[in-house]
Amino acid sequence: MIGYYPEELNIRVSGRAVWQNGALFLSHSAAYAEFFFEGDCLEADIASEGGGEDFQAWVGVFVNDAEVKRFALQAGENRYRLWESDRKQNVKIRLVKLSENQYAYVSIRKFFMDSDAKITRTEGKEKRIQFIGDSITCGFGNEGNAGDGFKTGTENPLKAYAYLTAQKLSAEATLIAWSGIGIISSYVDPDVEVPNTGVLVPVVYPHTDYSLQCRMGWETQEFDFASDDCNLIVINLGTNDSSYTRNHEDRKNAFCEAYQAFVTYLCKQYKNVPVICTAGAMNSLLNQEIATAAQKVRAEGYPVYYMEFTPAEPEDGEGAVGHPSLVRHEKMAGQLAGWITEHHLL
């Protein structure tokens, strides 16, 4: 079998990604490489940090849009068989990053195939939605159960509300999401009275892959917004900020101002792309502040909207660590897709 660097092949990459020395680093949850493959066997050398037993990087392999395998990446560079057949076929293959950005990376070093095998580029869907969020958007623990601890193996962005919403609307989905992250404070425990400002959305978002580049000691690379042709942006943030703001009016006001500034920044980057500010996915503590911020940016002439999820119901159940279950994600997707359709935003 012959090895090819990803950059040598005519493949389509969805989501933010970093190209480094011929290798392809898939960045955020649900980022993928996709192509048509004509042959009978395809393997790949994929590198990762490992992440121990609970925080490994996970990938999924889809053939003709059906999942055929899902596996955790071991530490170092290892070869994995992605697909094989007893005869030569022409199939569509998608290699998807299922775990989120802050944990172990996924670096596709080389694809291996026979000399007469062929790879050709697929075409994406006509419309694309960009989702900016936290653990909810990542699908944190959605394949786990109430009372379970968190493992990257039980988060599945493809079964979370964002990806499901895009599916319902026949659109592509790209995610920029990070568990525990916030606008002015990432998650803090109830007895903590100072904000957690180690990693915040306004710091992470402008970079292609802030986490990877910091961990690897590389120069942080600004994302090329001019090349991003998304048709709609959905923001689902504030849940982690609310762990800090609680009912303190000064903290809530600070969040509102910072949220407004971030939405304004997005609108300036993406010009006339509609932005939906969502709230209420897990609690309603900052719903009013999000609504107020959205209204203020809209008053400046930008296409910004506010949409509120209905509260979870007991029959929805819970995923790991109190996060939305698969049932809850499906309901959220139905509500959001319906709202987008009703407002003719896609």
Side-chain angles (χ1 to χ4, degrees):
M1 300 180 83
I2 303 174
Y4 300 89
Y5 290 109
E7 69 175 7
E8 297 179 290
L9 299 170
N10 190 19
I11 64 177
R12 184 169 69 88
V13 178
S14 176
R16 292 190 181 183
V18 173
W19 296 88
Q20 186 81 7
N21 297 326
L24 170 63
F25 290 79
L26 298 176
S27 297
H28 292 273
S29 303
Y32 64 79
E34 184 183 86
F35 45 85
F36 291 112
F37 175 72
E38 185 177 350
D40 59 11
C41 185
L42 179 67
E43 296 180 347
D45 278 0
I46 308 176
S48 181
E49 296 146 299
E53 198 171 305
D54 292 342
F55 305 110
Q56 296 165 298
W58 281 77
V59 297
V61 180
F62 288 73
V63 176
N64 295 332
D65 297 322
E67 183 180 301
V68 296
K69 62 176 65 178
R70 187 194 308 190
F71 54 92
L73 300 181
Q74 304 304 310
E77 183 174 328
N78 297 278
R79 187 164 300 182
Y80 302 89
R81 180 157 293 186
L82 304 182
W83 183 80
E84 63 179 330
S85 173
D86 58 2
R87 59 188 175 84
K88 189 174 182 180
Q89 296 188 53
N90 193 345
V91 294
K92 181 170 70 174
I93 293 181
R94 184 186 307 141
L95 180 61
V96 188
K97 184 180 183 185
L98 299 175
S99 51
E100 62 184 91
N101 179 269
Q102 64 178 302
Y103 300 113
Y105 64 76
V106 174
S107 173
I108 306 170
R109 299 299 174 89
K110 281 188 176 182
F111 288 105
F112 290 85
M113 64 196 81
D114 291 335
S115 59
D116 60 346
K118 296 179 181 178
I119 278 180
T120 54
R121 182 185 178 89
T122 60
E123 294 297 326
K125 295 178 180 177
E126 183 179 347
K127 301 288 186 180
R128 183 167 60 81
I129 309 173
Q130 178 187 142
F131 293 87
I132 306 170
D134 49 35
S135 57
I136 305 167
T137 302
C138 294
F140 180 109
N142 59 352
E143 293 191 329
N145 300 302
D148 288 352
F150 173 67
K151 297 181 179 182
T152 49
T154 62
E155 69 174 355
N156 189 343
L158 308 187
K159 294 183 180 179
Y161 81 93
Y163 200 87
L164 295 175
T165 296
Q167 279 189 322
K168 292 178 185 296
L169 297 172
S170 298
E172 295 266 343
T174 54
L175 278 54
I176 298 94
W178 181 302
S179 287
I181 206 167
I183 294 285
I184 64 168
S185 177
S186 293
Y187 178 81
V188 296
D189 290 327
D191 59 343
V192 175
E193 295 297 335
V194 294
N196 176 2
T197 59
V199 181
L200 297 173
V201 175
V203 174
V204 170
Y205 184 82
H207 301 282
T208 305
D209 193 335
Y210 180 85
S211 175
L212 173 69
Q213 290 160 345
C214 286
R215 297 204 307 273
M216 301 295 255
W218 300 339
E219 182 179 352
T220 53
Q221 177 189 59
E222 295 287 324
F223 181 68
D224 180 14
F225 289 99
S227 67
D228 192 345
D229 58 353
C230 68
N231 305 97
L232 178 65
I233 297 172
V234 176
I235 308 172
N236 187 350
L237 292 166
T239 300
N240 294 302
D241 293 276
S242 70
S243 71
Y244 164 68
T245 59
R246 299 166 196 148
N247 289 317
H248 297 270
E249 288 303 318
D250 58 335
R251 299 179 188 180
K252 291 163 72 173
N253 290 337
F255 167 81
C256 186
E257 291 177 7
Y259 187 99
Q260 179 184 342
F262 179 66
V263 176
T264 300
Y265 165 81
L266 285 175
C267 291
K268 289 181 178 179
Q269 294 292 342
Y270 286 95
K271 309 305 179 187
N272 296 318
V273 175
V275 177
I276 304 173
C277 302
T278 68
M282 284 184 66
N283 66 51
S284 59
L285 296 175
L286 288 172
N287 286 18
Q288 185 56 58
E289 284 68 29
I290 293 171
T292 298
Q295 183 180 27
K296 288 182 177 180
V297 182
R298 185 174 177 84
E300 296 173 5
Y302 295 110
V304 176
Y305 302 82
Y306 173 75
M307 179 250 161
E308 196 169 295
F309 290 107
T310 56
E313 299 172 312
E315 58 266 28
D316 295 345
E318 287 185 356
V321 200
H323 278 67
S325 65
L326 294 174
V327 172
R328 171 67 171 156
H329 275 290
E330 182 61 46
K331 287 184 177 180
M332 288 172 62
Q335 184 180 359
L336 179 55
W339 195 95
I340 292 169
T341 300
E342 179 183 350
H343 289 78
H344 308 289
L345 294 181
L346 195 65

